[in-house]
Amino acid sequence: MTVQRVSYTLESSLDSVNKAEEEATKIATRSGFDEDEAGRISMAVREATVNAVLHGNHYDTSKRVTLSFETTGDELIITVQDQGPGLDPTGVADPLAPENLLKQSGRGIFLIRAFMDDVQFRNLEPGTEIKLIKRVHATTSDHKEASQ
């Protein structure tokens, strides 16, 4: 299979979050993922895009979110970039810690890690890039995470 790529430049708005989720569902389905797995991929993309719009760009209309999808036949690779101040993923609070269990936010990265096989963070100066990788026929033991 040939590598296929598509990229979008999105405004820092909640409409962009919805568009990102819709595109993720379409591309995941075309890539061979079943409905449940496509739903998990879409949720991971939604959470990554919300983080980019809300925590990265702070809804700043002059800043953009870049979303790209790459299908290789073996993997679906999704990249979300913002133009914000950057993120240190090691500084994100553990949503499973007792003091955080009742908080209404702070679970996005946790969900992304749970739904994808590999998650990588990269500081762009300015901005943050998060790369989400899902293997087409991965098992649950394939889940890994890496930070850069």
Side-chain angles (χ1 to χ4, degrees):
M1 179 179 200
T2 59
V3 174
Q4 297 180 342
R5 292 185 186 99
V6 62
S7 294
Y8 302 91
T9 300
L10 305 170
E11 295 178 357
S12 295
S13 70
L14 292 180
D15 286 341
S16 296
V17 172
N18 294 333
K19 178 176 177 154
E21 183 178 16
E22 290 170 12
E23 289 304 312
T25 300
K26 291 178 194 172
I27 292 172
T29 301
R30 279 197 308 251
S31 298
F33 294 99
D34 66 24
E35 183 178 344
D36 290 342
E37 203 63 51
R40 288 188 276 273
I41 292 166
S42 298
M43 180 61 73
V45 170
R46 181 175 188 83
E47 292 296 332
T49 308
V50 165
N51 287 344
V53 168
L54 177 65
H55 302 296
N57 291 349
H58 300 282
Y59 294 108
D60 184 337
T61 57
S62 69
K63 294 181 179 178
R64 299 289 181 253
V65 173
T66 303
L67 170 68
S68 63
F69 298 91
E70 179 178 318
T71 55
T72 66
D74 295 328
E75 296 177 326
L76 172 59
I77 303 166
I78 304 155
T79 306
V80 180
Q81 298 176 343
D82 65 54
Q83 298 177 320
L87 168 75
D88 176 6
T90 61
V92 176
D94 178 2
L96 300 180
E99 66 273 16
N100 297 326
L101 289 177
L102 297 178
K103 290 185 177 177
Q104 295 185 7
S105 64
R107 293 174 182 82
I109 293 175
F110 175 81
L111 292 173
I112 292 167
R113 289 173 172 156
F115 293 155
M116 303 303 289
D117 294 321
D118 192 6
V119 179
Q120 301 171 7
F121 292 89
R122 185 168 68 111
N123 285 321
L124 301 177
E125 299 181 20
T128 301
E129 175 187 274
I130 181 169
K131 185 179 286 186
L132 316 173
I133 300 171
K134 191 69 176 178
R135 292 175 192 86
V136 174
H137 299 290
T139 64
T140 54
S141 63
D142 290 340
H143 292 265
K144 295 179 183 172
E145 178 185 332
S147 297
Q148 296 179 353

